[in-house]
Amino acid sequence: MSDAFLGLFGFIAALALIALGLPVAISMGVIGALGYWYLNGWMGVSYILGSSPFESLFPYSFSVIPLFVMMGVFASHAGLSRSLFAAINSFIGHRRGGLAITTVGASAFFGAICGSSLATVATIGRVALPEMKRHGYDPSLSTATVAAGGTLGVLIPPSVLLVIYGLLTQSSIGQLFIAALIPGVLGALFYAAAIMVIVRIKPDVAPLSERTGWPERFKYLREVWQVLLLFLLVIGGIYLGWFSPTEAAAVGAVGAFLLALFSGQLNKTTLGAAVFETAGLTGMIFFILIGAALFNFFLENTGLPQLLIEQIRSSGLSPLSVMVLILIFYIVLGCFMDSMSMILLTVPLFVPLALELDFNLIWFGIVVVTVAEIGLITPPIGMNLFVVQAAAEDVPQSTVIKGIFPFIVADILRLAVLVLFPALALWLPAQAF
Amino acid sequence: MGQIVNLARVLVNALAVLGVLSYGAAAIVTVADVIGRKVGFPIRGVVDLVQLFVVTGAWLVIPFAFLTAAHVSVDFLLDILPLPLRVPLRIFAAVLALGLVSLMLWQGFRTFETRTMFGDKSQQLGIPIAWYWYPLLAGMAASLIAILAGLFSTLKGELNHE
């Protein structure tokens, strides 16, 4: 068996173990270690088993991960979602589909300080779903909007997925964050457009709501200034060169903790929940990084990425066609895998190819994270679909899935725009750095 | 057996709390340095300190992720499988996890011995490099306990559910 074929076999074996329900980190780690053992003997594998766990977490740049996770967790416990929803709703809630568009807007803002898709769905869902139900919104529109809105947090900085992509490819995390701003806003606009099309075709799914007066609008705005301040401080600080991403993450974590503290939401129960949520999330992320490191040692040794490059080169396919094939692969894989595992498993395979085809790695990262976030709402394993269903127990899964398709179409259109116009991702970093 | 599992839970939860406190220390030191730089009093060796706090935090929370099955997995196939197949798969996953973490701990300890033999220290503050390894070894050992405790709870849950 050639080494490259062994690499392909290992890739499929890892996918098979994952499909059998084994934790992704263990699947990647076990296959990586076994494959490396086969290629380099016991001495080789004992070296990487002894050093990888240390080397995988030791670099200073990895500090950014737990700090951004802490920021997101404390932000989601600070009770900011209700104020955000009320503030946006006071401006556009009275229009047809306005509550759904408000949900998208609140998800985008909340995602900006939270960075976790699942937390955004759970938190915004708690506020938005009862409100939309009260106003007679069709459950398929309301639940699908919450599920789709949650994906915005994956791309809108600070994003843990972008951090991981940046660490894997040694790309600038600051540049990735800035590059994600326009595509993230574009995502919110495309979702809003999808809602407007839905309510134009079927006005019954979103009855009109009452208009809010200006005094109330100002009152709501005063309640959300801290959210805007925290976001501006973190992302503006990186953009203006005040902080490195790690420093911005630390400022964000301390800021979110203080917001939670002063909002009066932080008591013994919520503090405990936040601490254990941070522990679970970061423990999962760090161990998956170790598993991915073992798997990548193996993959690099097999020469599979080089074989892929040679195959693509000899096929005569244009870079655009290759990109489309990669995206189709990601969309299919995203139906069955979570976004982080997908990125850790595939980026080491595709990045050498992207470099060979002269793709800008910042742009490639934005496209990959965008397509990975689509996986969060594609059935049957769209995690957001499960989370929103847990928040709306009276709505069957089939209703959520029925409503999600217009949002998937919006995502695919956005992806096409990002692929055809890389400047949408690259213009802003070029101004900042 | 139940009492041992409860003890394991207490230990792993306590480590998780310490781990998150360690992250908190990293955040506070970093913010203090950012502010300190503005007023001309930067914190000396901030990179060494943040690395130490984050590495410590990371290894102390990893057992918690094993205990609570927080590790990402794709369960849709597992959920539709009958119990006689589901239970062996859970045990298989735990055995693989145990095997991998045990090997990491064993080889990690050997690497730790080699790297600390000459008394290496961090660049800025001269913190002994062994300090960065202790949480790793403790975290790996606690992860083994957490995997077993997690398996016990999962199997108990599966069988009770049935």
Side-chain angles (χ1 to χ4, degrees):
Chain A
M1 191 181 338
S2 75
D3 287 357
F5 186 76
L6 183 73
L8 187 63
F9 179 74
F11 191 81
I12 294 167
L15 281 178
L17 287 184
I18 291 166
L20 283 173
L22 266 75
V24 175
I26 300 296
S27 306
M28 290 171 82
V30 166
I31 296 295
L34 286 177
Y36 203 82
W37 190 349
Y38 182 83
L39 289 170
N40 299 291
W42 173 247
M43 287 297 284
V45 77
S46 61
Y47 175 76
I48 63 161
L49 281 170
S51 57
S52 280
F54 184 80
E55 305 296 348
S56 300
L57 309 189
F58 185 68
Y60 174 72
S61 49
F62 280 67
S63 313
V64 72
I65 294 177
L67 300 181
F68 270 134
V69 169
M70 274 177 88
M71 174 183 168
V73 169
F74 281 110
S76 68
H77 284 88
L80 304 170
S81 52
R82 195 168 295 279
S83 317
L84 266 175
F85 189 86
I88 301 172
N89 190 39
S90 68
F91 284 89
I92 54 173
H94 61 281
R95 297 179 185 279
R96 192 172 292 282
L99 273 172
I101 297 174
T102 297
T103 304
V104 169
S107 300
F109 274 106
F110 193 74
I113 49 165
C114 173
S116 158
S117 180
L118 302 184
T120 305
V121 172
T123 313
I124 296 293
R126 274 199 293 272
V127 182
L129 287 172
E131 198 65 16
M132 285 195 273
K133 189 176 179 180
R134 190 167 69 86
H135 284 89
Y137 271 53
D138 189 282
S140 71
L141 175 65
S142 59
T143 51
T145 304
V146 172
T151 67
L152 296 169
V154 176
L155 188 63
I156 294 177
S159 148
V160 173
L161 267 192
L162 281 177
V163 170
I164 288 173
Y165 173 87
L167 294 171
L168 279 178
T169 60
Q170 295 180 339
S171 307
S172 156
I173 292 168
Q175 282 200 29
L176 281 165
F177 278 2
I178 304 302
L181 278 172
I182 293 176
V185 171
L186 210 59
L189 293 177
F190 271 54
Y191 282 163
I195 292 165
M196 284 157 79
V197 171
I198 295 168
V199 298
R200 174 66 67 91
I201 296 168
K202 288 191 273 184
D204 301 349
V205 297
L208 288 168
S209 316
E210 61 276 19
R211 183 186 282 269
T212 311
W214 279 100
E216 269 183 286
R217 286 177 179 177
F218 283 122
K219 183 188 133 236
Y220 290 130
L221 277 180
R222 278 196 297 274
E223 288 175 10
V224 294
W225 67 268
Q226 312 101 310
V227 182
L228 295 174
L229 182 68
L230 189 62
F231 175 73
L232 288 175
L233 194 62
V234 171
I235 299 304
I238 295 174
Y239 186 89
L240 296 170
W242 293 350
F243 316 129
S244 67
T246 303
E247 289 167 349
V251 169
V254 172
F257 175 78
L258 292 176
L259 277 185
L261 190 67
F262 290 119
S263 68
Q265 300 284 328
L266 216 54
N267 52 37
K268 207 174 158 188
T269 314
T270 51
L271 182 62
V275 165
F276 287 119
E277 200 177 323
T278 305
L281 278 171
T282 55
M284 176 271 286
I285 294 173
F286 280 130
F287 202 73
I288 213 172
L289 284 172
I290 295 168
L294 290 172
F295 189 74
N296 293 340
F297 268 118
F298 160 63
L299 212 59
E300 279 166 20
N301 245 248
T302 62
L304 182 63
Q306 285 69 35
L307 179 77
L308 194 64
I309 290 169
E310 282 161 25
Q311 292 295 320
I312 295 288
R313 203 184 285 153
S314 61
S315 71
L317 286 169
S318 68
L320 184 64
S321 314
V322 176
M323 191 69 200
V324 171
L325 286 177
I326 291 175
L327 294 180
I328 291 171
F329 175 79
Y330 270 120
I331 289 172
V332 173
L333 199 62
C335 293
F336 303 97
M337 268 184 98
D338 84 289
S339 43
M340 190 184 299
S341 318
M342 204 158 75
I343 282 183
L344 284 164
L345 194 67
T346 57
V347 159
L349 195 65
F350 288 141
V351 161
L353 185 64
L355 285 170
E356 172 72 18
L357 294 171
D358 249 353
F359 292 161
N360 181 302
L361 282 191
I362 299 290
W363 168 75
F364 188 71
I366 300 300
V367 172
V368 164
V369 171
T370 304
V371 74
E373 72 173 46
I374 300 177
L376 288 163
I377 52 169
T378 44
I381 308 292
M383 286 304 291
N384 286 12
L385 303 178
F386 296 118
V387 178
V388 77
Q389 205 205 347
E393 282 171 359
D394 52 335
V395 181
Q397 184 86 59
S398 55
T399 306
V400 186
I401 291 174
K402 196 176 88 184
I404 207 70
F405 281 103
F407 295 98
I408 295 176
V409 172
D411 270 338
I412 290 173
L413 286 175
R414 173 167 57 123
L415 199 57
V417 170
L418 282 177
V419 170
L420 293 173
F421 303 102
L424 286 169
L426 299 177
W427 178 77
L428 211 48
Q431 312 305 309
F433 294 95
Chain B
M1 188 65 184
Q3 264 189 332
I4 297 173
V5 172
N6 283 342
L7 269 177
R9 277 186 182 283
V10 171
L11 170 75
V12 172
N13 286 348
L15 289 179
V17 172
L18 283 176
V20 176
L21 284 175
S22 194
Y23 293 153
I28 289 168
V29 167
T30 308
V31 172
D33 180 59
V34 168
I35 297 168
R37 279 200 319 253
K38 298 276 174 217
V39 294
F41 292 103
I43 294 193
R44 197 175 140 254
V46 68
V47 171
D48 283 359
L49 287 173
V50 170
Q51 265 178 307
L52 182 62
F53 286 135
V54 169
V55 164
T56 303
W59 281 107
L60 295 186
V61 300
I62 283 175
F64 182 78
F66 276 110
L67 183 74
T68 54
H71 288 301
V72 182
S73 55
V74 177
D75 285 341
F76 80 105
L77 196 60
L78 209 60
D79 288 343
I80 54 172
L81 286 176
L83 188 71
L85 282 175
R86 220 159 52 211
V87 171
L89 271 175
R90 298 265 190 222
I91 295 172
F92 178 57
V95 168
L96 284 186
L98 270 177
L100 184 68
V101 178
S102 303
L103 280 173
M104 281 180 181
L105 177 58
W106 173 33
Q107 293 304 321
F109 185 73
R110 292 183 60 181
T111 312
F112 156 76
E113 284 182 319
T114 317
R115 296 210 183 161
T116 53
M117 193 184 290
F118 303 107
D120 287 357
K121 292 184 172 171
S122 71
Q123 284 182 349
Q124 294 175 326
L125 291 179
I127 300 170
I129 213 74
W131 288 20
Y132 295 83
W133 276 88
Y134 295 138
L136 181 151
L137 298 171
M140 291 248 198
S143 292
L144 292 176
I145 298 171
I147 293 166
L148 287 172
L151 177 67
F152 178 79
S153 305
T154 310
L155 289 181
K156 203 174 153 195
E158 290 268 13
L159 296 171
N160 285 347
H161 182 67
E162 195 62 15

